[in-house]
Amino acid sequence: MHGQRRRVPVPERIGRYYVPLAVLEATSRAMQRFGREQRECYVWWGGYFTEAGDGQVVTALCPDIPTSYGHIHLGVCEIGALHSQLRALDQVLLVELHSHPHGAGGQNHVDAEHPAAPYRGFISIVVPDFAEPRLYDLRETYVYEYLQANEWRELESDEITRRFVVEEPFLRVLTDERSV
């Protein structure tokens, strides 16, 4: 039913984020393409919150905007277009991601001062080295959780492992007959 996923409010404490492998791979390809052009890439992961307090990522949205080496600027028009697309998909913003050039490290003060969604528990991921060789393990990125008033907390590797579940799109299941 249209409009049902957006009705679940942001949980007090967000548990896990379930990310389809296809979304992770599409994000990686976009970031690598931008990186080959020596420019940063910005992506939103849209989806919904479950009644249990988890985030289910469904879609990667990448605005068609000019960027450059070490610089991304989104104005009111671009942010509005992203939110309009999320509404049309019956999704909310769960995670923002952007790439950094080689050697740039994690979140800088500009990143920290401009969250796409300033709600407690919102996630911002900085992907180093223009996602090269590819974005496949979130522990190899810089993952930050929004606290309040432009304050962030960086997640440690073990917490990233616990909180982000990458879901395979296809699984081969052996039956009892085949395993004998």
Side-chain angles (χ1 to χ4, degrees), residues 10-15 52-54 120 145 153 159 162-163:
V10 176
E12 278 291 314
R13 172 131 172 61
I14 302 167
D54 296 323
R120 183 179 274 297
E145 180 178 42
R153 176 179 76 86
E159 187 174 4
R162 282 193 319 273
R163 293 193 58 201

Side-chain angles (χ1 to χ4, degrees), residues 23-43 45 97-105 125-138 140-142:
V23 169
L24 187 65
E25 290 173 339
T27 303
S28 180
R29 285 190 304 273
M31 289 186 168
Q32 290 170 345
R33 188 184 81 240
F34 277 61
R36 284 191 295 274
E37 298 168 3
Q38 291 296 295
R39 59 192 190 111
E40 290 190 23
C41 182
Y42 185 75
V43 175
W45 282 351
L97 304 94
H98 74 276
S99 60
H100 271 183
H102 301 282
I125 299 176
V126 178
V127 181
D129 304 327
F130 292 131
E132 290 294 338
R134 67 185 174 100
L135 173 60
Y136 62 91
D137 185 347
L138 292 175
E140 301 297 321
T141 67
Y142 300 91

Side-chain angles (χ1 to χ4, degrees), residues 37-113:
E37 298 168 3
Q38 291 296 295
R39 59 192 190 111
E40 290 190 23
C41 182
Y42 185 75
V43 175
W44 280 6
W45 282 351
Y48 58 92
F49 291 110
T50 68
E51 294 291 340
D54 296 323
Q56 176 63 60
V57 174
V58 177
T59 309
L61 295 94
C62 184
D64 186 11
I65 59 170
T67 63
S68 62
Y69 191 92
H71 182 76
I72 298 172
H73 176 76
L74 284 91
V76 174
C77 180
E78 293 85 4
I79 296 290
L82 285 164
H83 279 293
S84 291
Q85 184 64 58
L86 283 175
R87 276 190 302 281
L89 295 169
D90 190 27
Q91 297 177 24
V92 296
L93 174 57
L94 298 177
V95 178
E96 73 174 342
L97 304 94
H98 74 276
S99 60
H100 271 183
H102 301 282
Q107 189 181 62
N108 59 44
H109 72 88
V110 175
D111 300 335
E113 292 170 4

